[in-house]
Amino acid sequence: MNAPAPAAGLKPQLFKSDVKPVWCPGCGDYTVLSSVTKALAALEVRPENVAVVSGIGCSSRIPAYTTCYGFHGVHGRALAAATGLKVARPDLTVLAMGGDGDGYSIGGNHFLHACRRNVDLTYIVMDNRVYGMTKGQPSPTTEPDWDSKLAPHGTGLREFHPLVIALASGANFIARATSSDPNGTADLIAQAVRHPGFSFVEVLSPCVTFRPEQRNWKEMVHPAPVAPTDDAARAARRLMTDDGFNIGVLYAGHRKPYRPEMGRPAAEVAELETEFIL
Amino acid sequence: MTAKKKPARKTKRATPARKTAVRAVKRAAKPARAPSAAYADFMVQAYAMENDARDRYTEFAEQMDMHNNPDVARLFRKLARIEGLHAETIVREMGWSKPPARTEAWMWRHSEAPESAAPGDLHYLMQPYQALELALESERRAVSFFSGMTHSTAPVEVKRIAREMAAEEREHVRLIREWLKKFPKPERGWDQDPDPPQQSD
Ligand SMILES: Cc1ncc(C[n+]2csc(CCOP(=O)(O)OP(=O)(O)O)c2C)c(N)n1
Ligand code: SF4
Ligand SMILES: [Mg+2]
């Protein structure tokens, strides 16, 4: 299947559905939605040639808010579904999206292997360092001393470093974005989609309800002081000493994407459907 | 039988929204000129700025609708309408048959259009006063943006229109300040929700 021809002159609005988001006003996820629509317009792909696949969480509601094909799947399994879809339909632009809980807790194992497999898709994590949807439990990226009713005095557990883990597991493109810069985030998402293989964009996206202090993130983020590197060892050193607020492309490698030879399908969709015709 | 008395015509209150709308129409009445490329480019940018601000306020209004905050939703919608009028004025003034296409995100790469209010500053319990404070900040950024152009190395005709626009944005700052006087400042604890979303023990 060939990639569809570019469609110039698309407006971001074309990618927004009529379903209005139920996110809390001020939630970073609004910006991520807006950035995705801007990126897709700039990439000149039509909504029907894009699939947005998610898990469960506030952030994972995003497919419904776009006019692309969407799959609001099972908690932690966005990457499994997205990988299958991209392998079966390499002509589609596939975005897997979700939260830090979805992607790094219950979906952590899928994350490692999606990086390792390097299928040509883009994974966008809206990281708010909390389980927003289920009312504020700590997630793997939560700071050890974040004090809350559910984890008095904090969990005391060392936080997970998604970018380092992505690099060690083989992701081909690693970037960090911030919801306080919608256009910069759109640019990073567009670069991630263009880059062959598994691209990972971690977006710092505040949960203003359960972590209101994250409203200050907009004062803490700063452009990464160094140019992107294709040297994994150098990227590893940078990411290990990263302050968590460097914004930009942090690694862009050259691994060949995994694209298995597809034999003739066992059955066409139309044939499968005949079974269900009454 | 006495003749029915015609009801007295309601005089329209000169709200800041209405005043800016009138100004916008007045500017549109100026004859369209044959612009230089630099001037046209600048106006595309000015158009994009108003357009982005309109879209942003519309999104804010929708968020407030969703969270049952009709007063603030109404106010954001009004602000969106004002920005939309400014955008339309630019189109008319430039004699464009349709709005310019090249207006999306990329113009403000790694920054926001100066007049777009920050999306992270909303709160579901916010009050009209706070919504206007957001708008005031945005107008102030627009003033700095256009004033900055007047000190740049831009061609003379661009500096002239930038000066005009800076003056207009300054007028918007003044109008919003006036508008702010009509709303009470939120009291301490305005964000206390009697039925909070917090997790109970
Ligand atoms: C199998 C399964 N386990 C647990 C849950 C409950 N659950 C729903 S969303 C969620 C965490 C969401 O956190 P995150 O992915 O960070 O998304 P956010 O809401 O913060 O955007 C959990 C644990 C579930 N829906 N399914
Ligand atoms: S609970 Fe947090 S993550 Fe969920 S919509 Fe509200 S602000 Fe966003
Ligand atoms: Mg989360």
Side-chain angles (χ1 to χ4, degrees), chain A residues 9 21 44 50-51 55 104 111 133 138 160 162:
Chain A
E44 305 186 338
V50 181
Y104 309 146
F111 178 50
M133 179 169 263
F160 187 84

Side-chain angles (χ1 to χ4, degrees), chain B residues 17-106:
Chain B
R18 223 163 263 140
K19 280 190 211 162
T20 20
V22 172
R23 273 184 75 81
V25 173
K26 274 189 192 150
R27 261 189 62 189
K30 282 189 194 166
R33 52 205 126 181
S36 70
Y39 182 90
D41 260 5
F42 175 75
M43 293 307 276
V44 169
Q45 200 173 2
Y47 171 83
M49 191 164 130
E50 305 288 1
N51 211 37
D52 280 6
R54 184 203 52 199
D55 290 352
R56 182 59 55 80
Y57 285 133
T58 307
E59 279 169 17
F60 285 1
E62 286 169 358
Q63 292 181 30
M64 291 299 145
D65 285 339
M66 188 56 78
H67 290 269
N68 196 23
N69 190 340
D71 292 347
V72 177
R74 209 172 303 119
L75 202 130
F76 278 137
R77 240 175 221 111
K78 205 174 253 183
L79 287 163
R81 239 181 351 259
I82 296 171
E83 300 300 351
L85 272 170
H86 295 162
E88 282 167 28
T89 305
I90 292 173
V91 172
R92 275 198 300 268
E93 215 170 53
M94 293 302 291
W96 291 326
S97 55
K98 56 180 178 26
R102 192 172 56 83
T103 61
E104 304 302 346
W106 311 106

Side-chain angles (χ1 to χ4, degrees), chain A residues 100 128-132 134-159 207-214 217, chain B residues 198-199:
Chain A
D100 42 309
N128 52 17
R129 304 184 187 171
V130 74
Y131 291 1
T134 47
K135 292 179 168 270
Q137 297 84 353
S139 86
T141 46
T142 304
E143 304 79 346
D145 55 352
W146 181 61
D147 191 17
S148 68
K149 273 188 182 167
L150 288 166
H153 316 298
T155 60
L157 300 173
R158 187 200 144 105
E159 60 275 60
C207 170
V208 294
T209 298
F210 296 105
R211 307 242 18 211
E213 71 281 8
Q214 290 177 347
W217 276 359
Chain B
Q198 302 296 337
Q199 172 75 44

Side-chain angles (χ1 to χ4, degrees), chain B:
Chain B
M1 216 164 58
T2 51
K4 242 190 188 164
K5 220 176 161 189
K6 230 176 158 185
R9 226 174 123 211
K10 264 195 190 160
T11 46
K12 281 189 176 172
R13 261 196 316 142
T15 63
R18 223 163 263 140
K19 280 190 211 162
T20 20
V22 172
R23 273 184 75 81
V25 173
K26 274 189 192 150
R27 261 189 62 189
K30 282 189 194 166
R33 52 205 126 181
S36 70
Y39 182 90
D41 260 5
F42 175 75
M43 293 307 276
V44 169
Q45 200 173 2
Y47 171 83
M49 191 164 130
E50 305 288 1
N51 211 37
D52 280 6
R54 184 203 52 199
D55 290 352
R56 182 59 55 80
Y57 285 133
T58 307
E59 279 169 17
F60 285 1
E62 286 169 358
Q63 292 181 30
M64 291 299 145
D65 285 339
M66 188 56 78
H67 290 269
N68 196 23
N69 190 340
D71 292 347
V72 177
R74 209 172 303 119
L75 202 130
F76 278 137
R77 240 175 221 111
K78 205 174 253 183
L79 287 163
R81 239 181 351 259
I82 296 171
E83 300 300 351
L85 272 170
H86 295 162
E88 282 167 28
T89 305
I90 292 173
V91 172
R92 275 198 300 268
E93 215 170 53
M94 293 302 291
W96 291 326
S97 55
K98 56 180 178 26
R102 192 172 56 83
T103 61
E104 304 302 346
W106 311 106
M107 200 158 258
W108 318 107
R109 199 178 288 243
H110 296 301
S111 70
E112 276 263 80
E115 216 173 339
S116 297
D121 289 343
L122 297 198
H123 191 285
Y124 67 107
L125 294 174
M126 73 193 293
Q127 297 176 17
Y129 189 92
Q130 289 151 317
L132 282 172
E133 277 185 323
L134 273 184
L136 185 64
E137 255 326 288
S138 309
E139 296 296 340
R140 281 195 184 125
R141 277 195 304 272
V143 172
S144 321
F145 174 75
F146 288 122
S147 311
M149 296 290 299
T150 64
H151 303 299
S152 69
T153 52
V156 146
E157 69 275 20
V158 171
K159 282 189 186 178
R160 187 184 50 73
I161 186 73
R163 204 169 299 118
E164 249 182 58
M165 288 192 165
E168 211 169 290
E169 300 295 350
R170 240 174 251 118
E171 173 66 3
H172 297 163
V173 168
R174 195 188 63 75
L175 289 169
I176 291 179
R177 278 217 190 97
E178 231 178 77
W179 203 353
L180 265 167
K181 288 182 196 152
K182 296 184 200 299
F183 293 99
K185 213 172 174 167
E187 287 171 13
R188 258 174 86 91
W190 62 269
D191 57 349
Q192 294 305 308
D193 186 341
D195 180 20
Q198 302 296 337
Q199 172 75 44
S200 56
D201 300 290

Side-chain angles (χ1 to χ4, degrees), chain A residues 117-237:
Chain A
R117 261 184 211 109
N118 197 29
V119 170
D120 186 18
L121 58 91
T122 300
Y123 184 36
I124 302 166
V125 174
M126 289 159 260
D127 191 351
N128 52 17
R129 304 184 187 171
V130 74
Y131 291 1
M133 179 169 263
T134 47
K135 292 179 168 270
Q137 297 84 353
S139 86
T141 46
T142 304
E143 304 79 346
D145 55 352
W146 181 61
D147 191 17
S148 68
K149 273 188 182 167
L150 288 166
H153 316 298
T155 60
L157 300 173
R158 187 200 144 105
E159 60 275 60
F160 187 84
H161 286 280
L163 281 73
V164 179
I165 287 161
L167 181 74
S169 311
N172 212 24
F173 178 99
I174 299 171
R176 187 187 287 117
T178 165
S179 68
S180 56
D181 178 7
N183 295 337
T185 299
D187 186 21
L188 289 170
I189 293 173
Q191 287 188 54
V193 172
R194 280 195 197 104
H195 198 85
F198 185 83
S199 298
F200 170 50
V201 183
E202 151 112 343
V203 190
L204 299 175
S205 179
C207 170
V208 294
T209 298
F210 296 105
R211 307 242 18 211
E213 71 281 8
Q214 290 177 347
R215 286 186 192 264
N216 295 336
W217 276 359
K218 63 174 183 291
E219 272 94 47
M220 295 160 76
V221 291
H222 50 84
V226 284
T229 178
D230 59 357
D231 177 342
R234 181 176 297 166
R237 270 195 304 279

Side-chain angles (χ1 to χ4, degrees), chain A residues 1 87-88 259-268:
Chain A
M1 255 172 280
V87 168
R259 190 175 166 179
E261 271 313 310
M262 295 294 285
R264 225 189 70 76
E268 296 295 335

